[in-house]
Amino acid sequence: MTSRPTVAPVTIIIEWENAIDVEDEWTAKAMTALQAELERSAAGSKTRHRVVYLYDDTAVDPAVIRRTIAASAPRLGEVADVEVTPTHGLTYYKLKNFGVARSTTELTVMLDSDAAPQPGWLENLLKPFADPEIMVVGGFTVLGFNDLLSKTMALSWIFDLPDERKHTVKRAKVHVNNCAVRTDFFNNNPFPDLPIFKKQCGFWLRDFAARGHRYVRTADAMTIHAPHPGVKFLVWRAWTAGSDRDYQVFQENTQSRIGRIGHAFQFLGKKTWRAWSRIWTRGSSVDLPVIQRPVAMLIAFIYYSIATVSSATRALTQSYQPLPPRARRPKLGTASGA
């Protein structure tokens, strides 16, 4: 019988920002799944990982986190060292930076509070680090679904479907709701502090290959992320996505206001066509009945229309400081990112 490889202890950083917004059942599922995964990892081993829940003490009562652990993952403390750590006024990416800066292990894992690890997640997320040149490993995140709205977004949003594993590993992205880093490397290269909501990770990665750093994605380290919790949240998320998109266009495409507006409407056409195609042809992947697909197409169009209005509004009203130009890839002696 072949023994399982030993997994060195890691620090798992989990923000409690998402848990504020999503339905409690998804946070509970994420905790239960994490406990089960760490129990699998610890079976027959003396390895003991460190799990750190980070929260903003201006917005969260730590007793809520402890009650959720007690109810959903009562054995978590038996297989890991669990900490509930306050921060003051820190949001998503700043929480991640804060957590990794206090990691005590060579490797640090970033996981969202509403992302449920699937069997084999931890081992497969860490496996690529056997190559000492790999600095970052991204896992495979899919969106959970349980109703028309969430099924629509599972087909329309940025995450791939569970059966799109091959497509996922080819995409040069790392979603920081499910990734691992070499701790020292990350602390020397933290997430940038930018005037946007959720695209810091994209700007963080954009010069990796040119600077000689390597990262990979693996579809074998899967988590199921909570869906958007209702119409009001989805409208807000679309608006923030649009404003983020305008900042990205300014930095990477054009600083012209007219050009930025043009990109906003180009984005609408591209994303709507993609969403409609996937809803109609892949709806069965999320158990979306044919009769509901026209409504799902309308929801997707409204979502991307809101994002477009937001993006165009920002283009008309906002100015930004340009970032330094992208680094150029050296001609020789540099490994490329995956």
Side-chain angles (χ1 to χ4, degrees):
M1 181 176 178
T2 304
S3 60
R4 293 177 56 190
T6 301
V7 176
V10 298
T11 301
I12 303 174
I13 302 299
I14 306 175
E15 49 63 48
W16 200 257
E17 182 174 270
N18 283 9
I20 299 173
D21 297 316
V22 303
E23 299 293 337
D24 290 346
E25 67 173 293
W26 292 98
T27 306
K29 287 178 180 178
M31 275 194 178
T32 301
L34 176 63
Q35 173 183 269
E37 179 62 5
L38 293 185
E39 287 178 328
R40 278 188 291 270
S41 177
S45 169
K46 294 183 179 180
T47 299
R48 190 173 179 86
H49 302 296
R50 179 178 174 226
V51 177
V52 182
Y53 284 94
L54 298 172
Y55 68 96
D56 173 9
D57 63 9
T58 68
V60 176
D61 179 353
V64 172
I65 305 174
R66 295 190 177 95
R67 284 198 299 267
T68 307
I69 294 173
S72 304
R75 298 185 306 280
L76 187 59
E78 298 174 12
V79 293
D81 296 323
V82 180
E83 301 172 24
V84 178
T85 303
T87 70
H88 190 71
L90 299 187
T91 53
Y92 190 80
Y93 284 98
K94 291 180 180 179
L95 286 168
K96 307 265 183 186
N97 284 345
F98 179 94
V100 180
R102 286 152 183 79
S103 175
T104 57
T105 53
E106 179 185 356
L107 302 178
T108 301
V109 174
M110 298 183 214
L111 181 68
D112 275 8
S113 52
D114 57 347
Q118 301 304 289
W121 165 76
L122 184 60
E123 180 181 329
N124 290 322
L125 188 64
L126 301 180
K127 191 181 299 182
F129 288 111
D131 180 346
E133 294 187 355
I134 298 297
M135 296 292 113
V136 179
V137 177
F140 179 25
T141 302
V142 301
L143 201 62
F145 56 85
N146 56 10
D147 57 16
L148 173 60
L149 193 65
S150 57
K151 291 176 182 180
T152 298
M153 296 311 296
L155 292 163
S156 307
W157 207 44
I158 57 175
F159 297 152
D160 291 326
L161 295 171
D163 61 358
E164 295 179 310
R165 297 161 61 90
K166 291 182 179 179
H167 180 252
T168 291
V169 297
K170 293 178 181 179
R171 298 177 70 187
K173 293 184 177 182
V174 170
H175 294 130
V176 298
N177 53 53
N178 174 18
C179 74
V181 298
R182 292 194 187 275
T183 305
D184 288 345
F185 169 82
F186 182 87
N187 285 329
N188 289 323
N189 300 272
F191 293 129
D193 186 9
L194 301 174
I196 50 178
F197 177 61
K198 284 284 188 180
K199 283 189 177 292
Q200 280 89 335
C201 53
F203 286 97
W204 180 63
L205 282 181
R206 72 176 191 163
D207 289 339
F208 261 44
R211 292 162 55 196
H213 307 316
R214 292 190 61 201
Y215 67 96
V216 296
R217 294 190 78 180
T218 174
D220 297 325
M222 189 172 87
T223 62
I224 298 176
H225 194 284
H228 304 87
V231 173
K232 183 178 179 180
F233 183 92
L234 197 62
V235 169
W236 170 81
R237 190 66 185 84
W239 189 264
T240 58
S243 61
D244 282 3
R245 173 70 182 173
D246 178 61
Y247 181 83
Q248 181 181 19
V249 168
F250 176 90
Q251 299 295 351
E252 299 189 347
N253 300 103
T254 177
Q255 296 179 9
S256 160
R257 293 190 186 276
I258 298 300
R260 288 156 63 187
I261 292 171
H263 272 275
F265 284 94
Q266 184 181 46
F267 175 79
L268 173 62
K270 177 182 177 181
K271 288 295 187 178
T272 299
W273 174 252
R274 176 184 179 275
W276 285 4
S277 298
R278 287 170 64 80
I279 288 167
W280 198 252
T281 63
R282 305 298 311 280
S284 58
S285 298
V286 297
D287 300 322
L288 182 65
V290 173
I291 195 171
Q292 292 184 356
R293 294 182 193 180
V295 179
M297 292 167 72
L298 177 61
I299 292 171
F301 175 72
I302 292 172
Y303 177 88
Y304 286 112
S305 294
I306 293 170
T308 298
V309 172
S310 172
S311 189
T313 300
R314 298 283 288 191
L316 286 170
T317 61
Q318 295 295 316
S319 298
Y320 310 107
Q321 290 296 320
L323 296 174
R326 283 178 178 266
R328 292 187 177 183
R329 187 192 300 266
K331 293 182 179 180
L332 297 173
T334 299
S336 64

